[in-house]
Amino acid sequence: RSPQTMIEVDCYQCKSNKSELYDTENGHNLVKCLECGLLYLNPRPGLEEINEASKSGLHRGDNKSKKFGEFDDKLKETYLSRLNDFNYATMFSEKKKYSWLDIGSGHGELVETLANFGGEYIDIMGIEPNVNKLKAAIERGINLKFLDLETHQEKYDVISAIDIYSHLPNPPEDIAKWCEMLNEGGELLIQAVDSATLSLENQHKPYSLPDHFSFTSKKLLIQLLQGLDMEVIQVESYRLPQYPVFSSMELFRQIGRMFMPGRSANFNFSPKYPDGDLWIRAKKRVL
């Protein structure tokens, strides 16, 4: 594989070029903006490299890059719980059809959950650049496509983006584009990891550099959305999936993983800040 072209970037959130080294991983630097506190990869891969990586799903920092995973039914349980927490049942009880676009759908777990949840009152489509995940989802009967959002003209009532914030080459620009794709009064549902304010010893690792480009915080993401004329209507924080909840059964499960080839055990039952799984529902202001 040819060496990566790396480019220097300023802070995505506030455009400052003042930063300090925060940490290193896989030979890459994670820096902290001295103005707003965003954590971001600098230097980072060029746009062409990013696009190729996302289409193939090959993550350079991940030595298991040949494994693309598979559809995860447990994720559907999580998503159903989140949809209930955010009162989407109320939306679908209005007996009006909503158009919903899910960006970065992976294997399509959220799209399948939403199709069942909204029933006849949702027109749901997901987009996924990874050709392997896309093919598997289509074979399962899930409505997934690959579209270039730069040229896509459709508008939607709701756009969701789960677990992709850190993969965005420029979060303010990318999220501004999503806002343009919303109908009047439309909504965004965004998930990100709330970790930019953590001290180094409490950080959620690994960072998966250089595949993740930045890490935000609750305050920074709310500021970004409000700056795009979005009204934040609900914010929830959940325990990150990499931190198992302690029980004797879970303890035995992790001990068992120690003896399984290709698996690693996780005994991090009580991190200081486990609730870094940030979900925000925001509505486009009617001008």
Side-chain angles (χ1 to χ4, degrees):
R1 202 187 289 176
S2 59
Q4 275 179 298
T5 307
M6 303 295 283
I7 58 170
E8 293 279 338
V9 289
D10 293 337
C11 173
Y12 302 116
Q13 183 87 10
C14 71
K15 307 297 183 217
S16 169
N17 61 2
K18 297 182 177 69
S19 65
E20 64 182 11
L21 183 65
Y22 177 81
D23 206 354
T24 57
E25 184 186 79
N26 299 324
H28 295 278
N29 293 340
L30 190 66
V31 302
K32 189 175 188 76
C33 175
L34 292 173
E35 299 286 333
C36 72
L38 186 80
L39 296 176
Y40 61 101
L41 178 70
N42 198 22
R44 67 135 222 243
L47 272 181
E48 279 188 21
E49 301 232 359
I50 291 169
N51 289 337
E52 279 311 306
S54 66
K55 283 175 192 171
S56 66
L58 290 173
H59 286 185
R60 290 182 184 264
D62 180 3
N63 56 13
K64 298 176 189 161
S65 60
K66 295 286 182 286
K67 295 182 182 173
F68 298 101
E70 56 190 23
F71 192 93
D72 183 354
D73 275 305
K74 273 198 175 148
L75 262 184
K76 283 181 67 179
E77 292 170 30
T78 301
Y79 291 152
L80 186 59
S81 171
R82 302 287 185 269
L83 292 171
N84 280 314
D85 287 352
F86 279 83
N87 296 313
Y88 283 109
T90 308
M91 176 190 275
F92 295 125
S93 70
E94 293 169 12
K95 307 274 192 288
K96 169 188 171 237
K97 193 156 203 167
Y98 283 89
S99 57
W100 189 310
L101 177 70
D102 183 51
I103 296 174
S105 299
H107 290 93
E109 291 91 347
L110 180 60
V111 175
E112 188 168 290
T113 307
L114 278 162
N116 295 332
F117 190 80
E120 63 188 295
Y121 300 113
I122 190 169
D123 185 6
I124 171 72
M125 182 177 80
I127 57 174
E128 172 54 49
N130 181 307
V131 289
N132 299 281
K133 293 176 180 176
L134 184 63
K135 183 168 175 278
I138 290 169
E139 284 170 2
R140 192 181 164 95
I142 299 172
N143 187 20
L144 247 61
K145 294 185 177 152
F146 176 52
L147 304 169
D148 182 358
L149 289 182
E150 291 301 310
T151 55
H152 191 54
Q153 298 297 313
E154 293 284 313
K155 288 195 181 284
Y156 299 88
D157 298 316
V158 186
I159 294 176
S160 54
I162 311 304
D163 198 25
I164 69 163
Y165 178 95
S166 290
H167 294 275
L168 298 174
N170 189 324
E173 276 185 22
D174 293 317
I175 296 172
K177 169 65 180 166
W178 304 345
C179 293
E180 286 171 20
M181 292 167 61
L182 289 172
N183 289 322
E184 200 169 298
E187 293 186 4
L188 287 182
L189 179 65
I190 293 186
Q191 181 273 344
V193 176
D194 177 8
S195 63
T197 56
L198 298 184
S199 61
L200 192 53
E201 62 268 22
N202 291 314
Q203 195 52 253
H204 311 306
K205 294 185 184 183
Y207 306 111
S208 299
L209 305 182
D211 305 313
H212 289 163
F213 309 130
S214 69
F215 299 91
T216 188
S217 68
K218 184 189 290 189
K219 180 185 170 191
L220 288 174
L221 189 49
I222 288 173
Q223 277 178 355
L224 194 163
L225 290 166
Q226 289 172 337
L228 294 169
D229 271 335
M230 297 294 289
E231 178 193 354
V232 174
I233 52 180
Q234 192 175 347
V235 182
E236 302 289 346
S237 294
Y238 301 95
R239 189 181 181 95
L240 286 163
Q242 67 257 45
Y243 300 125
V245 176
F246 181 79
S247 67
S248 52
M249 180 71 84
E250 187 60 40
L251 182 61
F252 283 121
R253 201 168 82 87
Q254 295 302 334
I255 290 169
R257 288 173 74 93
M258 292 171 68
F259 303 100
M260 293 167 73
R263 296 291 181 91
S264 58
N266 183 359
F267 298 103
N268 200 353
F269 296 116
S270 52
K272 194 166 183 185
Y273 301 102
D275 300 328
D277 185 13
L278 175 68
W279 291 63
I280 299 180
R281 181 178 178 181
K283 191 176 186 114
K284 190 173 188 175
R285 292 185 194 277
V286 180
L287 301 175

